[in-house]
Amino acid sequence: QVQVVESGGGLVEPGGSLTLSCRAPKILFEHYTVSWYRQAPGKERELVASIDSLANTVYLDSVKGRFTISRDNSARTCTLQMNSLKPDDTAVYYCNLKMGHYDFWGQGTQATVFS
């Protein structure tokens, strides 16, 4: 069974930073598109950022300039650096790895921005 492990959530004040990490040690990580989604209470899950096997990136408009997605294929890890956090960024963040019909999700990590 493929294991996708997220870490790095927590509590932070507005304007602060969090770094989320996603690791998948048992797959051909370099071939997968890795994405971060988030879901806030009462809202739909939305795509936050994505990075494909060529390191092309896509971002949700509201996080552009504040969040950065990156990958380290040798470590089979994807990182989402979140800066200038706002209360609206509060959500459970999920890592997703996709390649063709292969589609794997992590368990989610909570990020809470409060003042």
Side-chain angles (χ1 to χ4, degrees), residues 8-109:
L11 300 173
V12 66
E13 294 183 343
S17 297
L18 287 172
T19 303
L20 306 184
S21 294
C22 169
R23 188 167 179 268
K26 297 183 178 179
I27 61 172
L28 294 173
F29 185 87
E30 63 269 27
H31 297 301
Y32 282 75
T33 292
V34 187
S35 302
W36 286 93
Y37 289 77
R38 68 186 181 188
Q39 187 165 21
K43 294 188 177 181
E44 296 287 320
R45 188 173 295 191
E46 62 181 355
L47 175 66
V48 177
S50 183
I51 184 166
D52 68 14
S53 60
L54 299 177
N56 298 306
T57 57
V58 173
Y59 293 95
L60 180 68
D61 282 347
S62 63
V63 309
K64 286 180 181 177
R66 300 189 297 122
F67 290 12
T68 302
I69 189 170
S70 61
R71 65 191 298 159
D72 181 346
N73 290 332
S74 63
R76 297 182 178 179
T77 299
C78 176
T79 299
L80 183 67
Q81 178 64 44
M82 306 191 296
N83 299 326
S84 302
L85 283 161
K86 305 175 181 180
D88 284 351
D89 295 317
T90 295
V92 178
Y93 285 73
Y94 297 91
C95 180
N96 171 258
L97 286 88
K98 190 165 186 178
M99 180 183 68
H101 64 277
Y102 295 100
D103 192 358
F104 305 113
W105 290 87
Q107 79 286 354
T109 184

